[in-house]
Amino acid sequence: MGSLNTPDPEPGHSAGSTPDPHSHSAGSTPDPHSHSAGSTPDPHSHSAGSTPATIAELDLAVSACRACPRLVAWREKVATEKRAAFRDETYWGRAVPGFGPADASVLIVGLAPAAHGGNRTGRMFTGDRSGDFLYAALHAVGLANQPTATHIGDGLTLRGVRITAPVHCAPPDNKPTVTERDRCRTWLDIELSLLKPTLKSVVVLGGFGWQALLPVLAANGWEIPRPRPKFGHGAEVDLGSIRLFGSYHVSQQNTFTGRLTPAMIEDALRAAGFHAGLM
């Protein structure tokens, strides 16, 4: 279950010619950067007719979102100032859409893009050490075709797996506010509703994602047990048609200290893959 997502085009584009990040699913999808600030869709004001009806449409809308002023200012400041090691690169500097096939049976939910990772490359967990850890684990259990993720167009594909986050913009100090999380919730809500026909497993990386996800699952028809399940590494919650798997986040503060080891994240991903019928 779940198809491979075809790799995206190479980076190095100018702002005016940025290719659609979702050209892997629709070659004729409009450029997300053709939206002006005034016409950027508000995720909380769409009517039934404007709500994204496909994953490709959702990704396009996410990449054009400017709903949170603090996050927009920060992501664009980082994209302008850059880190010295990447001074010759063109940063994405926008909201980062989810990554993976539209018929995924496993969803990985993180926290938010990294300032010089996803905010630079335009793809979830790409170009930073957290992503290095995650994609190496996905490859080790057979859910990715390669262990590295450096940039859009690097050949990376995921098998039956999609990666998303409750917050799609890089936040200062990696700490989005509750208001920003709640404002971004509509995107996760739509994503879950679109994935629902094929979704079997959800791997949640960290307590922030766990707390953000549960009410969205409830809003999409899944019954959350009472008392509400607590996050923990190795936690599993059966929600009927899907099962939740908890894992510590792949942040450096967890991976560098040994709190989260490669074997631990691989076990969580393998369990999710087995439950989803991918193994």
Side-chain angles (χ1 to χ4, degrees):
M1 181 178 294
S3 62
L4 291 178
N5 53 301
T6 306
D8 294 303
E10 293 287 344
H13 44 263
S14 64
S17 61
T18 303
D20 175 11
H22 317 291
S23 58
H24 57 266
S25 58
S28 61
T29 305
D31 178 0
H33 311 295
S34 62
H35 296 287
S36 65
S39 63
T40 300
D42 178 354
H44 306 286
S45 64
H46 46 249
S47 63
S50 63
T51 301
T54 66
I55 288 293
E57 290 178 5
L58 170 66
D59 290 350
L60 182 64
V62 168
S63 67
C65 184
R66 300 179 64 87
C68 298
R70 187 182 79 111
L71 297 186
V72 170
W74 173 252
R75 75 192 193 195
E76 293 179 356
K77 179 176 185 289
V78 170
T80 299
E81 296 180 352
K82 306 181 181 181
R83 178 175 285 172
F86 308 123
R87 62 180 177 273
D88 295 329
E89 296 188 22
T90 299
Y91 273 52
W92 176 258
R94 295 169 170 83
V96 180
F99 172 59
D103 60 349
S105 53
V106 175
L107 180 66
I108 298 174
V109 179
L111 193 162
H116 301 282
N119 187 57
R120 172 173 60 90
T121 63
R123 194 173 68 191
M124 286 287 176
F125 283 107
T126 297
D128 59 54
R129 292 189 177 182
S130 295
D132 293 343
F133 194 89
L134 176 61
Y135 287 116
L138 284 165
H139 178 258
V141 301
L143 297 177
N145 71 320
Q146 62 189 42
T148 57
T150 57
H151 60 273
I152 290 174
D154 58 6
L156 176 66
T157 58
L158 304 180
R159 184 171 68 88
V161 176
R162 184 169 170 84
I163 302 175
T164 193
V167 176
H168 285 271
C169 292
D173 301 317
N174 292 320
K175 294 179 180 178
T177 66
V178 173
T179 298
E180 289 162 347
R181 179 200 68 189
D182 292 347
R183 188 176 292 134
C184 205
R185 169 179 165 168
T186 296
W187 299 131
L188 184 58
D189 190 6
I190 297 170
E191 192 161 19
L192 280 168
S193 69
L194 293 172
L195 292 174
K196 193 171 185 178
T198 59
L199 191 62
K200 299 297 182 184
S201 300
V202 182
V203 179
V204 188
L205 304 177
F208 184 93
W210 188 271
Q211 293 176 4
L213 179 66
L214 291 181
V216 181
L217 288 171
N220 278 275
W222 284 287
E223 186 174 349
I224 307 301
R226 294 291 183 182
R228 179 171 291 190
K230 293 183 179 180
F231 171 77
H233 184 86
E236 293 189 21
V237 182
D238 190 348
L239 298 181
S241 63
I242 65 170
R243 181 173 294 177
L244 303 185
F245 297 83
S247 170
Y248 293 138
H249 195 277
V250 291
S251 64
Q252 293 183 53
Q253 68 183 25
N254 288 332
T255 61
F256 280 18
T257 61
R259 188 184 190 209
L260 181 66
T261 65
M264 290 168 67
I265 186 65
E266 287 170 19
D267 285 346
L269 294 171
R270 190 178 291 110
F274 270 114
H275 182 73
L278 294 175
M279 299 179 179

